[in-house]
Amino acid sequence: DELDHVGLLDVATGKVTTLYIGKPGGEVLAASDGSWIAFEELGTDHHDRVIVIDRGGKELARRDGQVASLVASPGGKLARIAGGAVLEIKPRDPAPVFATVPVPAGTFVHLIAYRGELLDLFAGDAILTWNGTRVWAGIPLRSGVLWAFAAGDNLSVALTNDGRIHVVGGNVAADLVLPSSPGEMVRIAARRGISRFVSTCQAALCVWNIDDV
């Protein structure tokens, strides 16, 4: 909030409970069940870090490093990009600790997203996947990935530099051709577990059904 606090808002009553007093940054993320909250802190010691607290304000974990992205899985895992590395943690573990995802040397990951409990790593024209044990490469795309969104049953809808939309996941890689170009960057709205998603087209919204592609 405006006082640099992190807290919970009870929508029904309007009551705000302050959980953390510090200097949070722009990245804030909560687990789907509300069991933990992760946020970026701009430290007074001039070091940025991510801090994870439970819904009562108890600190669960922290890790120094600039935060470029925070994402959560349906099962409660948390991942982040920091200083070119990808880190993952299970905040609900008895002694949670950030583990470094073994990304191949020379690979620059600019975007991460959970597809179910699998973590997809988007790097140039490659989509890598981490399952907590190993990293493997999926079907390559012809152009660099700009954004990706979880959709359907463990799939992702990805937008590439050439303005194309791709439905990817596992052995699936379907290219979709827009019926008309919006004249600017394509926008996508998708949701995990829902087969339909929406993209912008020229002066219109296009609705797609993953089950039909």
Side-chain angles (χ1 to χ4, degrees), residues 46-60:
H46 305 293
H47 290 286
D48 296 345
R49 60 182 58 89
V50 65
I51 297 177
V52 188
I53 60 177
D54 66 17
R55 61 186 307 154
K58 176 185 176 182
E59 184 174 313
L60 301 176

Side-chain angles (χ1 to χ4, degrees), residues 54-134:
D54 66 17
R55 61 186 307 154
K58 176 185 176 182
E59 184 174 313
L60 301 176
R62 67 167 54 203
R63 178 72 177 256
D64 286 351
Q66 187 177 13
V67 180
S69 179
L70 289 174
V71 295
S73 77
K77 292 188 290 187
L78 168 69
R80 61 180 284 216
I81 299 176
V86 179
L87 306 173
E88 186 179 58
I89 189 173
K90 298 177 181 178
R92 293 196 295 247
D93 279 359
V97 61
F98 281 97
T100 301
V101 176
V103 177
T107 302
F108 174 72
V109 176
H110 70 277
L111 177 69
I112 56 178
Y114 276 106
R115 183 167 44 85
E117 296 305 307
L118 299 176
L119 180 63
D120 284 338
L121 320 172
F122 297 90
D125 60 355
I127 301 178
L128 308 176
T129 300
W130 165 249
N131 66 356
T133 303
R134 67 184 183 93

